[in-house]
Amino acid sequence: MTKDWPLWEVFIRGQYGLSHRHVGSLHAPDAEMAMLNARDVYTRRNEGMSIWVVPSADISASAPSRKGPMFDPSNDKTYRHPTFFDIPDEVGSM
Amino acid sequence: MYAQTVQSTGRKVKSLEEMSDQERAFQARIDAGEKIEPKDWMPDGYRKTLVRQISQHAHSEVVGQLPEGNWITRAPTLERKAILLAKVQDEAGHGLYLYSAAETLGVSRADLIDDLLAGRAKYSSIFNYPTLNWADMGAVGWLVDGAAIINQVALQRTSYGPYSRAMVRICKEESFHARQGFDIMMKMVAGTAAQKAMAQDALNRLWWPALMMFGPPDKDSVHSAQSMAWKIKVMTNDEGRQKFVDQTIPQIEYLGLDVPDKAARKNPKTGHYSFVDPDWDEFFAVLKGYGPCNADRMLARNKAHDDGAWFREGLLAYAEKQTIAAE
């Protein structure tokens, strides 16, 4: 077999009001075929109403080894959550 | 199952003391039920075992289209034809999800497909049995997909994220497969005596090969221990087989058919059925390439691949032309 076609990541909007979600990937020679194949593979049962296909090579991802420096800083900032603050019951909902 | 004889490291499972710090941290993540993702560090053996298992699973989905594809043009009604076509199309999709999962481990799909076409790769023994008549479409959907569901539902809990997510998608679609098969069987047993006999014959022929789908007995399954420790596998072969027998025998009785295993009895204490093992010599022979249809399947797969070459080349030429035009 010849070399693999480019890899595409497939994102689908399930219904109006929701964002597109990553559902999987596929190989295709160009965007048009990627779109058609995504339709056939990932929306056979009404799963979607809008599709994005993105060349996988164009995605920049955070490295798992950088997980600490990337995400730890938010761990100790519990004041960013509303539940950090005790509001007396008599104040009512806030 | 769809991956029946996956070689793992071939070595005894390391104890925590024998592991390096990195291996121990990895095992701790597995034991805590965390999913491993493509870019995470993983032991070489984990990666290799997964590639073997997922690619065998993918090849099984692809080759699994052949026994049923055989009957699309000869389905008894337009509705049955549309249903069978949809099922076979699902199998192609399942193959794609699984090849995608395997690729996240750093292998190329082209290489995996080359291995299949060249006869170097394994796929499930079940697809090397023939489908002789329409009743077989019922029995395949009901028994083969029924057995696959047992395995795949468990595999949703597998430790490798992309494999687990592929299983979630597949399981959602698979129960349509089993139900359409059982529906065919219900129709057949409600028909003439000859039609009911066809249903019985299909069950008799596919019962033992369906039991083989779960792989060799645990005592002979040399690579299971490491795969279980890594949660690549989450259910033993014997556990899956028992579950299948327990779930299927009452369904056979519902259909009013005879259980092919005359000795099968329910143990009132455990609720489990006793059953006779399939012929393991036959199983290993089929895996080695000596089943009734191994050569046919490989021939059909290679022919389909070769016949589609002009189309794939045309698509690529067009895409390249568009790129040049855009530059």
Side-chain angles (χ1 to χ4, degrees):
Chain A
M1 191 178 164
T2 45
K3 180 167 125 320
D4 278 322
W5 286 337
L7 190 65
W8 301 76
E9 299 301 325
V10 181
F11 298 81
I12 289 182
R13 184 201 297 285
Q15 48 180 282
Y16 283 121
L18 298 183
S19 16
H20 286 74
R21 266 188 73 181
H22 183 244
V23 293
S25 57
L26 50 78
H27 288 281
D30 57 26
E32 192 186 345
M33 284 307 298
M35 184 66 76
L36 287 175
N37 290 345
R39 193 272 314 261
D40 287 349
V41 177
Y42 291 106
T43 64
R44 290 198 300 281
R45 290 179 175 79
N46 285 325
E47 290 98 331
M49 44 174 316
S50 165
I51 301 175
W52 291 347
V53 288
V54 182
S56 309
D58 289 348
I59 292 180
S60 308
S62 63
S65 56
R66 297 256 313 142
K67 192 166 147 268
M70 285 284 275
F71 305 113
D72 284 355
S74 84
N75 272 352
D76 58 0
K77 298 180 180 61
T78 49
Y79 48 81
R80 285 180 171 167
H81 297 278
T83 46
F84 179 78
F85 305 94
D86 285 328
I87 305 293
D89 285 348
E90 45 275 40
V91 178
S93 73
M94 182 177 281
Chain B
M1 179 39 60
Y2 277 9
Q4 292 157 315
T5 51
V6 178
Q7 291 190 353
S8 187
T9 57
R11 288 188 297 272
K12 179 174 125 334
V13 180
K14 280 187 190 173
S15 70
L16 287 174
E17 292 73 41
E18 290 164 328
M19 289 180 191
S20 69
D21 290 347
Q22 217 168 16
E23 287 171 331
R24 206 175 302 119
F26 178 83
Q27 190 63 49
R29 290 187 62 196
I30 302 257
D31 294 342
E34 253 183 63
K35 296 281 186 232
I36 307 302
E37 293 298 339
K39 289 187 168 178
D40 295 347
W41 181 85
M42 57 188 83
D44 206 36
Y46 178 82
R47 184 185 299 275
K48 282 187 181 149
T49 308
L50 267 176
V51 169
R52 288 194 194 105
Q53 175 157 332
I54 301 174
S55 61
Q56 279 186 33
H57 198 155
H59 297 325
S60 297
E61 299 285 355
V62 170
V63 178
Q65 295 177 97
L66 298 172
E68 290 175 303
N70 190 31
W71 283 90
I72 291 173
T73 54
R74 284 171 280 172
T77 67
L78 189 56
E79 186 186 52
R80 292 286 183 199
K81 181 174 178 160
I83 292 169
L84 189 58
L85 196 56
K87 180 188 187 290
V88 172
Q89 190 190 19
D90 276 354
E91 307 298 1
H94 296 178
L96 183 138
Y97 308 153
L98 287 158
Y99 283 127
S100 295
E103 284 181 284
T104 63
L105 292 158
V107 289
S108 111
R109 185 172 317 183
D111 289 344
L112 297 178
I113 291 174
D114 272 348
D115 285 345
L116 173 66
L117 295 175
R120 287 187 295 268
K122 288 200 176 71
Y123 56 87
S124 178
S125 58
I126 188 75
F127 302 119
N128 290 316
Y129 289 86
T131 45
L132 302 177
N133 57 51
W134 180 252
D136 287 14
M137 293 302 95
V140 165
W142 167 40
L143 301 174
V144 175
D145 291 84
I149 289 170
I150 290 176
N151 181 53
Q152 294 177 152
V153 163
L155 278 175
Q156 292 180 98
R157 291 181 282 115
T158 192
S159 61
Y160 188 55
Y163 192 26
S164 156
R165 291 191 285 276
M167 284 303 117
V168 171
R169 281 196 70 85
I170 287 176
C171 285
K172 274 188 196 157
E173 302 178 348
E174 201 84 69
S175 89
F176 147 59
H177 298 178
R179 292 173 72 133
Q180 65 86 36
F182 195 70
D183 188 63
I184 292 174
M185 294 304 273
M186 288 199 297
K187 196 82 178 170
M188 297 292 294
V189 299
T192 62
Q195 286 166 332
K196 189 170 178 183
M198 277 171 74
Q200 182 69 58
D201 165 64
L203 168 60
N204 291 349
R205 278 183 291 107
L206 284 160
W207 173 258
W208 307 106
L211 291 186
M212 292 177 194
M213 287 179 67
F214 295 90
D218 292 349
K219 61 179 171 50
D220 303 327
S221 185
V222 278
H223 297 281
S224 278
Q226 181 61 71
S227 287
M228 297 283 290
W230 277 331
K231 292 192 190 160
I232 289 175
K233 223 173 142 160
V234 284
M235 185 178 63
T236 75
N237 298 352
D238 288 341
E239 280 166 7
R241 199 167 8 253
Q242 182 69 56
K243 206 166 174 178
F244 175 76
V245 170
D246 289 345
Q247 122 184 350
T248 307
I249 289 183
Q251 294 168 352
I252 296 175
E253 287 163 353
Y254 176 85
L255 291 171
L257 296 174
D258 297 328
V259 179
D261 181 346
K262 304 286 177 231
R265 292 287 175 275
K266 190 174 185 172
N267 179 330
K269 277 192 200 127
T270 61
H272 295 302
Y273 284 86
S274 64
F275 60 94
V276 174
D277 262 355
D279 177 351
W280 293 117
D281 292 339
E282 177 183 317
F283 167 75
F284 286 111
V286 173
L287 273 191
K288 285 202 186 92
Y290 304 111
C293 298
N294 295 58
D296 278 357
R297 300 298 184 229
M298 281 298 96
L299 221 62
R301 197 65 219 99
N302 273 287
K303 183 176 185 304
H305 191 76
D306 295 343
D307 288 352
W310 69 272
F311 186 66
R312 292 193 301 276
E313 285 159 15
L315 287 175
L316 197 58
Y318 177 76
E320 279 164 3
K321 209 170 137 189
Q322 296 301 104
T323 314
I324 292 166
E327 276 163 4

